Amino acid sequence: MKSIAIIGAGVGGCTTYLFLQKHVVPHIPNIKIHIYEAYPAPPYLSKSTPSTRSPTHTINPEERPNLYSTPATNVTTATGGFLGFSPNGIRVLKSLDPEIYARIQAYSIEVDVFAFQISSGRMLGNFSSGGKERYGHGTFMINRAALHDAVLEKVRHEDISFGRKVARVVDGEKIVRVEFEDGGSVEADLVVGADGVWGKTKDAIEKCRGLTAEYDGLVGIGGFLDEKTTRNLLDKLQSNKDLVIPKNAVTMTFGSGAFFGTVIDLDRLDKPTSKDGSYENGDVEHDIPFAAWWSTFPMEPAPTSRTPFSEVKEKVLEKHKGWTPLITALIEASGFDERKGSTLVLPRWITPTLPKWTSDSGRILLMGDTAHCMPPDSGQGASCAVEDAMTIGLLCEALFSDLKASESSESEKLKQLCDLYTKIRKPRCEYIVAEARKRGDLKRDMGWLEQTIRNVVMFALCKVMPESAMDGFFSWDTETEVKKALKGEVPAVKGKGKVITAAEK
């Protein structure tokens, strides 16, 4: 194998590149691994290089549009809002590169539980979001841009081409041709489709052709607030007798036909007020949102991701009318000063279940959102993408590290790669998608009786939930399942039991 083309430079595409560099390049030094991205390059990439950055490297906000983006910001790192990066995904990136792990840890708020409440502010209980003792980590609440930066900045500049929008991917028994809208084309022995729900790569797989993303009827609207704005709104609310300040960093509020999540950095809230909204010691906290929120509710017709918050703000306030004062205040304080925070409108487009993730030739393979766009209710979108990436890297190392000594041809090995990858990843991801859709249904319009049943069930779950409740998501170990598949064993769909860390091994 002489060349691998990765279509898409998102979190999944960049992580796939890095795992291939780690596991394949040492065995095939002359292999060409290149990423092709439709968006323009973020401006800051030309101003610094991986060799000159520390894990907590801070970039001037004036050259960093991703953390302060608006709907018009047209760079790949500007897409997406705050997300929960789960313990299974954290362990993958930690095994990939300790510097990447240190960077995302520095830019995250780590939590072991999510607090659940109803719209009046009455608590239902706490739900596990991880934990160091059982899973090695809690969940990292992180801006998607910061997570993306951490992997994108590790990609060698000469190995990525921005502004190359794919028009068509043509499969072949001996080679794959990628054609771009600018009229150019490239050929590769293996193409990894990481180009998301609207990408062209999946159309090269006959059984996936024509299957387009579907709007699931829900819209996610969220915002980030800086320290000064957050402290000011909390000070104004102090006199409100109905004010409930969260005791947990992450609170999820369920009401009638809507959902509202909040993230407040409580550790920083207890610190003395900083000057001008930034810390005097110049640490990375300046680039971490002090507070974040997101609202999910049904909306028809679907807005676009470029819909300004001003057009939907009244709708958001209406959906949360009568909810806790903090929720109303967070919405009211959002969407005006892009330097103090930003607000995003994100309709939920979901990839339908694809019959195949790989081409018959074995030369095209789909991963991440291209293969299995996770509803955000799973909290597993980014984590599953990096699990895909690690699986691809480990399988390629096992199958192609000594191809000359193998009795199989390259073509046979590629088909074996695709077969193993599908067996390892497809059942697991489809299980998580199914679970996520159940959670999403809790955010749709409900009658009084349905709400009451939901609240009672959630209250009971929070009381009796065993320590192992999240093993299926959080305990799954990529390396273990790859080894099982290579031995001819059936890979697990769900994780099980306490995670054994590298140090314990």
Side-chain angles (χ1 to χ4, degrees):
M1 186 161 58
K2 297 178 180 178
S3 59
I4 300 175
I6 299 170
I7 312 301
V11 172
C14 290
T15 308
T16 300
Y17 166 91
L18 295 173
F19 270 114
L20 290 170
Q21 286 285 339
K22 180 176 182 177
H23 292 287
V24 177
V25 171
H27 305 287
I28 314 176
N30 295 324
I31 191 171
K32 179 183 177 182
I33 305 171
H34 200 89
I35 303 176
Y36 299 92
E37 169 57 46
Y39 279 100
Y44 65 84
L45 278 186
S46 62
K47 300 178 184 292
S48 55
T49 61
S51 62
T52 63
R53 300 187 203 100
S54 68
T56 57
H57 172 70
T58 305
I59 299 169
N60 186 330
E62 295 299 327
E63 60 187 61
R64 191 188 189 95
N66 49 335
L67 290 181
Y68 303 92
S69 60
T70 71
T73 306
N74 193 31
V75 295
T76 180
T77 52
T79 57
F82 226 53
L83 59 84
F85 194 48
S86 300
N88 49 309
I90 295 168
R91 294 195 306 272
V92 168
L93 290 191
K94 193 172 187 178
S95 72
L96 171 62
D97 188 329
E99 287 190 2
I100 292 176
Y101 167 74
R103 183 169 172 80
I104 62 172
Q105 183 183 44
Y107 278 83
S108 299
I109 302 168
E110 186 171 4
V111 295
D112 290 345
V113 296
F114 295 153
F116 286 179
Q117 67 178 14
I118 59 174
S119 57
S120 66
R122 183 168 65 85
M123 291 299 301
L124 296 174
N126 293 329
F127 197 86
S128 173
S129 60
K132 292 181 175 65
E133 182 65 28
R134 189 170 186 85
Y135 305 116
H137 300 280
T139 288
F140 284 0
M141 300 305 298
I142 186 170
N143 188 323
R144 179 192 176 276
L147 175 61
H148 192 187
D149 282 347
V151 291
L152 175 61
E153 293 179 3
K154 286 286 185 176
V155 176
R156 294 165 55 187
H157 291 192
E158 62 267 29
D159 289 341
I160 185 168
S161 298
F162 289 96
R164 302 300 305 274
K165 191 171 184 179
V166 173
R168 187 170 69 138
V169 178
V170 183
D171 192 20
E173 284 300 321
K174 295 184 178 180
I175 204 77
V176 179
R177 187 173 74 257
V178 181
E179 300 174 355
F180 300 98
E181 290 190 355
D182 59 16
S185 65
V186 296
E187 293 183 337
D189 296 311
L190 174 66
V191 169
V192 178
D195 44 350
V197 295
W198 301 109
K200 300 289 187 180
T201 310
K202 70 175 182 293
D203 290 337
I205 300 173
E206 186 176 356
K207 291 186 178 181
C208 299
R209 199 168 297 143
L211 296 177
T212 59
E214 302 166 346
Y215 176 53
D216 78 347
L218 295 172
V219 64
I221 299 173
F224 307 109
L225 301 177
D226 70 352
E227 176 186 357
K228 185 177 180 180
T229 305
T230 305
R231 288 189 186 278
N232 284 345
L233 74 85
L234 290 174
D235 288 342
K236 291 177 182 177
L237 288 171
Q238 288 300 328
S239 60
N240 191 319
K241 61 182 178 60
D242 295 322
L243 175 66
V244 178
I245 298 294
K247 296 181 180 179
N248 294 291
V250 179
T251 303
M252 299 188 175
T253 308
F254 296 83
S256 174
F259 164 88
F260 198 93
T262 57
V263 181
I264 297 180
D265 195 336
L266 298 178
D267 289 340
R268 291 163 67 196
L269 188 63
D270 291 336
K271 292 180 181 180
T273 304
S274 60
K275 296 179 180 179
D276 301 321
S278 61
Y279 277 74
E280 293 182 12
N281 62 4
D283 64 18
V284 297
E285 288 180 331
H286 175 65
D287 274 347
I288 307 174
F290 200 84
W293 64 268
W294 69 99
S295 170
T296 305
F297 56 85
M299 182 182 284
E300 293 289 352
T304 73
S305 58
R306 293 182 179 273
T307 300
F309 179 58
S310 58
E311 290 186 13
V312 297
K313 182 175 181 178
E314 290 306 315
K315 181 73 171 178
V316 181
L317 286 168
E318 177 189 335
K319 278 290 183 179
H320 299 289
K321 185 178 181 180
W323 292 34
T324 66
L326 177 61
I327 287 175
T328 302
L330 287 168
I331 299 169
E332 289 281 14
S334 300
F336 295 105
D337 187 338
E338 298 300 343
R339 282 290 150 201
K340 295 180 180 179
S342 60
T343 309
L344 303 169
V345 178
L346 300 172
R348 297 178 17 157
W349 293 91
I350 308 298
T351 306
T353 301
L354 300 182
K356 289 195 69 177
W357 288 8
T358 61
S359 66
D360 292 339
S361 70
R363 294 185 179 275
I364 300 175
L365 178 155
L366 308 180
M367 61 89 62
D369 284 353
T370 313
H372 50 76
C373 184
M374 295 284 171
D377 318 284
S378 72
Q380 285 285 313
S383 293
C384 279
V386 299
E387 284 181 351
D388 289 349
M390 186 174 184
T391 302
I392 293 166
L394 291 174
L395 287 175
C396 283
E397 179 181 35
L399 297 172
F400 295 100
S401 59
D402 193 11
L403 192 58
K404 291 181 180 179
S406 172
E407 296 180 358
S408 301
S409 67
E410 177 182 284
S411 178
E412 290 171 327
K413 287 290 186 182
L414 285 166
K415 290 177 181 178
Q416 187 180 2
L417 163 68
C418 288
D419 180 59
L420 290 168
Y421 172 73
T422 299
K423 287 179 179 177
I424 296 167
R425 297 300 302 155
K426 200 168 190 291
R428 170 165 170 78
C429 291
E430 289 177 352
Y431 149 70
I432 293 174
V433 168
E435 291 296 310
R437 285 176 175 161
K438 294 176 187 176
R439 297 182 184 185
D441 288 341
L442 299 176
K443 302 171 185 178
R444 300 183 187 275
D445 289 323
M446 289 184 175
W448 175 85
L449 180 60
E450 290 174 301
Q451 288 183 63
T452 302
I453 293 172
R454 176 197 63 194
N455 296 343
V456 169
V457 170
M458 290 175 66
F459 176 82
L461 283 175
C462 289
K463 291 292 184 183
V464 303
M465 182 178 65
E467 184 185 27
S468 60
M470 293 304 295
D471 283 6
F473 283 15
F474 298 159
S475 290
W476 199 85
D477 183 73
T478 308
E479 187 174 4
T480 297
E481 302 310 322
V482 169
K483 288 179 178 177
K484 286 165 63 174
L486 288 167
K487 292 177 183 177
E489 301 174 16
V490 178
V493 172
K494 307 176 186 180
K496 185 177 181 180
K498 179 179 179 295
V499 170
I500 300 174
T501 64
E504 292 173 325
K505 290 179 182 178

